[in-house]
Amino acid sequence: MNLILQGLSTQRHIVEQIAELARPRSIVAIGEHAYRCLDCSYNDEVKSQIDIAAWAAKLDYAFIERSRSLSDFKLVAMDMDSTLITIECIDEIADMQGLKPQVAEITEAAMRGELEFKESLTRRVALLKGLDASALQRVYDERLQLSPGAEKMLQGLQALGMKSLLVSGGFTYFTNRMKQRLQLDYTHSNQLEIIDGKLTGKVIGGIVDGEEKKRTVARVCQELDISPEQSIVMGDGANDLKMMSIAGLSVAFRAKPIVRAQADIALNFVGLDGILNLFHK
């Protein structure tokens, strides 16, 4: 088993101190702030010790089987809000109505798993009734930013021939633009109803919740004639857990505690491109 340690700024002596908990055969620098610790001992106790030490040092870690490589995977599936991008789009749309605190509170409860997603989305979208649809473009132009490392990650994975899926409990207005901007292969999300240039406070069709996200990943895998085990799935909130559960590698990105606890790997400090450091090229 190899141990990857990486951070935004990394001092080798700290890496060596943390890695010693897993007694590696050797430590190799694989980037400016990333190290691969070879042939580590691995068990629950070691993992727990590394988890505590790495968090304290603001380093991300991952135990990866030596035989695994990025070429094992054929699809990367991503949540959008607070994963591929830094914002929750619905919270920013609500801010145009002066309703961001109310909507953000519901969003947070849903992402922590305290509120069923369909109910939370229905309640939040209802608060947007009457808002001019031009607010969506304003959010895209003024507030939407890609998460750190997003473009580098996608370029790296696409260069290996990996397909990409953006599956979101957010809205088609934004996923469609992300698809074009980042040359994504597939997107699936919710469609806001707009009549006479105004949001009606309703969603057209079924709501993309956690179960639908899981079905979408499985469907795209079937279309590509691959197993879900050949997918990398990443997210940050409780509604991502079902699709993450069928992946060959699940990645929690700056995620809620409930998601970090269940994911194979958590990236808490580095950008999304930290995925590229996990495997031998």
Side-chain angles (χ1 to χ4, degrees):
M1 190 74 80
N2 291 338
L3 168 65
I4 312 302
L5 288 164
Q6 55 183 327
L8 296 177
S9 61
T10 311
Q11 295 176 299
R12 182 165 181 125
H13 73 276
I14 294 176
V15 168
E16 290 173 349
Q17 288 173 8
I18 295 172
E20 187 54 37
L21 296 167
R23 302 193 176 282
R25 175 171 55 83
S26 60
I27 300 174
V28 180
I30 53 174
E32 187 178 2
H33 299 296
Y35 294 84
R36 180 175 291 116
C37 310
L38 303 174
D39 298 332
C40 295
S41 59
Y42 177 79
N43 54 48
D44 288 343
E45 183 181 355
V46 168
K47 185 176 186 297
S48 178
Q49 291 175 340
I50 295 287
D51 187 86
I52 294 168
W55 181 270
K58 294 188 176 180
L59 296 178
D60 288 320
Y61 77 93
F63 283 97
I64 301 290
E65 294 174 16
R66 290 179 58 194
S67 60
R68 298 190 88 180
S69 72
L70 272 176
S71 61
D72 295 338
F73 302 97
K74 305 302 180 186
L75 173 71
V76 58
M78 305 159 285
D79 173 50
M80 181 173 67
D81 295 48
S82 296
T83 302
L84 183 65
I85 63 176
T86 61
I87 62 170
E88 292 286 335
C89 289
I90 193 166
D91 293 358
E92 302 307 319
I93 298 168
D95 199 28
M96 305 292 179
Q97 287 279 64
L99 293 170
K100 185 172 182 177
Q102 297 95 309
V103 170
E105 186 178 346
I106 300 172
T107 300
E108 276 292 305
M111 293 303 99
R112 291 192 301 264
E114 298 167 4
L115 189 63
E116 198 274 328
F117 185 80
K118 282 187 178 179
E119 178 192 348
S120 79
L121 188 72
T122 300
R123 284 169 53 184
R124 287 178 289 166
V125 171
L127 290 169
L128 306 178
K129 183 178 180 180
L131 181 64
D132 195 288
S134 63
L136 303 178
Q137 188 65 42
R138 282 187 60 200
V139 168
Y140 182 79
D141 290 339
E142 300 172 15
R143 305 193 180 186
L144 187 148
Q145 293 185 331
L146 295 174
S147 291
E151 288 182 288
K152 184 177 179 182
M153 173 201 71
L154 282 167
Q155 288 166 0
L157 298 182
Q158 288 165 340
L160 292 170
M162 205 177 296
K163 299 297 186 181
S164 53
L165 163 66
L166 184 61
V167 56
S168 173
F171 306 115
T172 55
Y173 189 91
F174 302 102
T175 57
N176 289 345
R177 282 157 177 76
M178 288 293 98
K179 183 178 184 180
Q180 184 174 13
R181 179 172 168 181
L182 299 170
Q183 286 83 55
L184 305 177
D185 297 293
Y186 303 90
T187 62
H188 185 46
S189 56
N190 298 299
Q191 185 175 355
L192 289 168
E193 184 178 62
I194 300 172
I195 297 178
D196 297 328
K198 304 283 186 182
L199 302 188
T200 66
K202 296 179 181 177
V203 170
I204 296 173
I207 288 176
V208 179
D209 61 358
E211 193 61 46
E212 177 62 13
K213 285 186 169 191
K214 177 182 174 181
R215 283 195 295 267
T216 302
V217 172
R219 173 176 55 79
V220 170
C221 286
Q222 189 172 24
E223 285 183 23
L224 294 172
D225 195 26
I226 63 172
S227 160
E229 279 284 314
Q230 293 173 281
S231 69
I232 298 172
V233 177
M234 60 184 69
D236 74 297
N239 66 320
D240 298 318
L241 286 170
K242 289 183 178 179
M243 68 172 178
M244 290 168 72
S245 72
I246 64 171
L249 182 74
S250 58
V251 180
F253 182 70
R254 303 190 182 179
K256 302 296 181 288
I258 187 176
V259 182
R260 291 202 306 267
Q262 296 183 47
D264 296 323
I265 291 163
L267 298 179
N268 302 308
F269 305 107
V270 301
L272 287 168
D273 55 327
I275 292 173
L276 302 176
N277 289 327
L278 298 183
F279 302 91
H280 290 287
K281 299 295 188 291

Tab-separated table of all heavy atoms in Angstrom, residues 158-181:
chain	number	residue	atom	x	y	z
A	158	GLN	N	-9.057	13.924	-19.058
A	158	GLN	CA	-9.494	13.840	-20.450
A	158	GLN	C	-8.350	13.416	-21.373
A	158	GLN	O	-8.569	12.712	-22.354
A	158	GLN	CB	-10.088	15.185	-20.887
A	158	GLN	CG	-11.451	15.471	-20.243
A	158	GLN	CD	-11.891	16.926	-20.364
A	158	GLN	OE1	-11.081	17.822	-20.583
A	158	GLN	NE2	-13.185	17.172	-20.206
A	159	ALA	N	-7.127	13.834	-21.016
A	159	ALA	CA	-5.963	13.438	-21.817
A	159	ALA	C	-5.746	11.929	-21.789
A	159	ALA	O	-5.161	11.357	-22.719
A	159	ALA	CB	-4.711	14.157	-21.318
A	160	LEU	N	-6.231	11.288	-20.722
A	160	LEU	CA	-6.125	9.831	-20.612
A	160	LEU	C	-7.303	9.116	-21.271
A	160	LEU	O	-7.416	7.893	-21.218
A	160	LEU	CB	-6.068	9.434	-19.124
A	160	LEU	CG	-4.811	9.855	-18.362
A	160	LEU	CD1	-4.994	9.625	-16.868
A	160	LEU	CD2	-3.593	9.110	-18.878
A	161	GLY	N	-8.214	9.907	-21.853
A	161	GLY	CA	-9.370	9.326	-22.524
A	161	GLY	C	-10.566	9.116	-21.618
A	161	GLY	O	-11.540	8.464	-22.020
A	162	MET	N	-10.500	9.637	-20.404
A	162	MET	CA	-11.600	9.452	-19.467
A	162	MET	C	-12.791	10.334	-19.854
A	162	MET	O	-12.617	11.491	-20.218
A	162	MET	CB	-11.131	9.788	-18.044
A	162	MET	CG	-11.937	9.103	-16.951
A	162	MET	SD	-11.296	9.463	-15.281
A	162	MET	CE	-9.678	8.697	-15.365
A	163	LYS	N	-13.990	9.786	-19.790
A	163	LYS	CA	-15.210	10.546	-20.034
A	163	LYS	C	-15.603	11.296	-18.762
A	163	LYS	O	-15.193	10.926	-17.652
A	163	LYS	CB	-16.350	9.623	-20.477
A	163	LYS	CG	-16.065	8.874	-21.768
A	163	LYS	CD	-15.899	9.812	-22.945
A	163	LYS	CE	-15.752	9.046	-24.252
A	163	LYS	NZ	-15.566	9.955	-25.409
A	164	SER	N	-16.440	12.323	-18.929
A	164	SER	CA	-16.809	13.170	-17.795
A	164	SER	C	-18.312	13.365	-17.724
A	164	SER	O	-18.990	13.549	-18.735
A	164	SER	CB	-16.113	14.528	-17.902
A	164	SER	OG	-16.353	15.114	-19.169
A	165	LEU	N	-18.818	13.332	-16.494
A	165	LEU	CA	-20.243	13.512	-16.212
A	165	LEU	C	-20.398	14.528	-15.096
A	165	LEU	O	-19.782	14.395	-14.037
A	165	LEU	CB	-20.865	12.173	-15.786
A	165	LEU	CG	-22.231	12.233	-15.070
A	165	LEU	CD1	-23.314	12.757	-16.001
A	165	LEU	CD2	-22.600	10.852	-14.526
A	166	LEU	N	-21.214	15.547	-15.341
A	166	LEU	CA	-21.574	16.513	-14.314
A	166	LEU	C	-23.021	16.233	-13.939
A	166	LEU	O	-23.925	16.416	-14.754
A	166	LEU	CB	-21.416	17.942	-14.836
A	166	LEU	CG	-21.673	19.071	-13.846
A	166	LEU	CD1	-20.713	19.003	-12.658
A	166	LEU	CD2	-21.552	20.431	-14.536
A	167	VAL	N	-23.245	15.740	-12.726
A	167	VAL	CA	-24.591	15.383	-12.291
A	167	VAL	C	-24.898	16.177	-11.034
A	167	VAL	O	-24.182	16.107	-10.043
A	167	VAL	CB	-24.741	13.855	-12.087
A	167	VAL	CG1	-23.720	13.296	-11.108
A	167	VAL	CG2	-26.154	13.497	-11.661
A	168	SER	N	-25.975	16.981	-11.094
A	168	SER	CA	-26.153	18.018	-10.088
A	168	SER	C	-27.597	18.159	-9.641
A	168	SER	O	-28.527	18.043	-10.441
A	168	SER	CB	-25.674	19.359	-10.674
A	168	SER	OG	-25.964	20.427	-9.806
A	169	GLY	N	-27.746	18.442	-8.342
A	169	GLY	CA	-29.040	18.848	-7.815
A	169	GLY	C	-29.295	20.312	-8.089
A	169	GLY	O	-30.313	20.864	-7.667
A	170	GLY	N	-28.369	20.951	-8.814
A	170	GLY	CA	-28.530	22.333	-9.247
A	170	GLY	C	-29.306	22.413	-10.546
A	170	GLY	O	-30.164	21.580	-10.820
A	171	PHE	N	-28.940	23.365	-11.403
A	171	PHE	CA	-29.834	23.707	-12.505
A	171	PHE	C	-29.152	23.643	-13.868
A	171	PHE	O	-27.969	23.940	-14.020
A	171	PHE	CB	-30.407	25.108	-12.272
A	171	PHE	CG	-31.069	25.232	-10.926
A	171	PHE	CD1	-30.550	26.091	-9.975
A	171	PHE	CD2	-32.164	24.447	-10.588
A	171	PHE	CE1	-31.126	26.191	-8.718
A	171	PHE	CE2	-32.752	24.539	-9.336
A	171	PHE	CZ	-32.236	25.409	-8.392
A	172	THR	N	-29.971	23.274	-14.871
A	172	THR	CA	-29.483	23.114	-16.246
A	172	THR	C	-28.861	24.398	-16.772
A	172	THR	O	-27.949	24.344	-17.600
A	172	THR	CB	-30.621	22.691	-17.186
A	172	THR	OG1	-31.700	23.645	-17.077
A	172	THR	CG2	-31.150	21.315	-16.835
A	173	TYR	N	-29.358	25.552	-16.337
A	173	TYR	CA	-28.798	26.823	-16.794
A	173	TYR	C	-27.280	26.847	-16.596
A	173	TYR	O	-26.543	27.334	-17.450
A	173	TYR	CB	-29.440	27.988	-16.032
A	173	TYR	CG	-29.086	29.346	-16.583
A	173	TYR	CD1	-29.876	29.955	-17.557
A	173	TYR	CD2	-27.937	30.016	-16.171
A	173	TYR	CE1	-29.528	31.187	-18.102
A	173	TYR	CE2	-27.579	31.241	-16.702
A	173	TYR	CZ	-28.383	31.821	-17.660
A	173	TYR	OH	-28.039	33.049	-18.185
A	174	PHE	N	-26.841	26.309	-15.480
A	174	PHE	CA	-25.413	26.337	-15.150
A	174	PHE	C	-24.672	25.102	-15.657
A	174	PHE	O	-23.544	25.205	-16.148
A	174	PHE	CB	-25.229	26.493	-13.636
A	174	PHE	CG	-25.885	27.743	-13.103
A	174	PHE	CD1	-27.110	27.674	-12.447
A	174	PHE	CD2	-25.302	28.981	-13.290
A	174	PHE	CE1	-27.733	28.817	-11.975
A	174	PHE	CE2	-25.922	30.139	-12.821
A	174	PHE	CZ	-27.135	30.061	-12.174
A	175	THR	N	-25.285	23.922	-15.562
A	175	THR	CA	-24.594	22.711	-16.035
A	175	THR	C	-24.377	22.757	-17.542
A	175	THR	O	-23.351	22.284	-18.038
A	175	THR	CB	-25.355	21.423	-15.649
A	175	THR	OG1	-26.688	21.473	-16.161
A	175	THR	CG2	-25.389	21.236	-14.140
A	176	ASN	N	-25.331	23.324	-18.283
A	176	ASN	CA	-25.151	23.436	-19.736
A	176	ASN	C	-23.949	24.314	-20.073
A	176	ASN	O	-23.193	24.021	-21.005
A	176	ASN	CB	-26.408	24.015	-20.393
A	176	ASN	CG	-27.573	23.031	-20.387
A	176	ASN	OD1	-27.386	21.840	-20.155
A	176	ASN	ND2	-28.769	23.530	-20.637
A	177	ARG	N	-23.793	25.379	-19.326
A	177	ARG	CA	-22.655	26.284	-19.560
A	177	ARG	C	-21.342	25.628	-19.145
A	177	ARG	O	-20.313	25.827	-19.792
A	177	ARG	CB	-22.892	27.612	-18.833
A	177	ARG	CG	-23.874	28.506	-19.584
A	177	ARG	CD	-24.557	29.539	-18.711
A	177	ARG	NE	-25.423	30.391	-19.529
A	177	ARG	CZ	-26.610	30.013	-19.999
A	177	ARG	NH1	-27.067	28.780	-19.742
A	177	ARG	NH2	-27.343	30.828	-20.732
A	178	MET	N	-21.365	24.852	-18.085
A	178	MET	CA	-20.159	24.123	-17.674
A	178	MET	C	-19.783	23.061	-18.709
A	178	MET	O	-18.600	22.843	-18.981
A	178	MET	CB	-20.392	23.449	-16.313
A	178	MET	CG	-20.452	24.405	-15.134
A	178	MET	SD	-18.868	25.223	-14.797
A	178	MET	CE	-19.143	26.791	-15.623
A	179	LYS	N	-20.792	22.427	-19.293
A	179	LYS	CA	-20.523	21.399	-20.301
A	179	LYS	C	-19.767	21.986	-21.480
A	179	LYS	O	-18.766	21.423	-21.946
A	179	LYS	CB	-21.841	20.772	-20.771
A	179	LYS	CG	-21.647	19.641	-21.783
A	179	LYS	CD	-22.972	19.018	-22.181
A	179	LYS	CE	-22.734	17.829	-23.106
A	179	LYS	NZ	-23.998	17.180	-23.519
A	180	GLN	N	-20.227	23.136	-21.947
A	180	GLN	CA	-19.593	23.779	-23.091
A	180	GLN	C	-18.215	24.324	-22.709
A	180	GLN	O	-17.241	24.158	-23.452
A	180	GLN	CB	-20.481	24.909	-23.613
A	180	GLN	CG	-19.949	25.583	-24.859
A	180	GLN	CD	-20.925	26.596	-25.416
A	180	GLN	OE1	-21.888	26.983	-24.776
A	180	GLN	NE2	-20.675	27.051	-26.640
A	181	ARG	N	-18.122	24.947	-21.559
A	181	ARG	CA	-16.882	25.596	-21.127
A	181	ARG	C	-15.758	24.603	-20.890
A	181	ARG	O	-14.596	24.870	-21.202
A	181	ARG	CB	-17.174	26.387	-19.852
A	181	ARG	CG	-16.000	27.119	-19.236
A	181	ARG	CD	-16.551	27.992	-18.116
A	181	ARG	NE	-15.513	28.539	-17.251
A	181	ARG	CZ	-15.774	29.318	-16.204
A	181	ARG	NH1	-17.022	29.652	-15.920
A	181	ARG	NH2	-14.793	29.782	-15.462
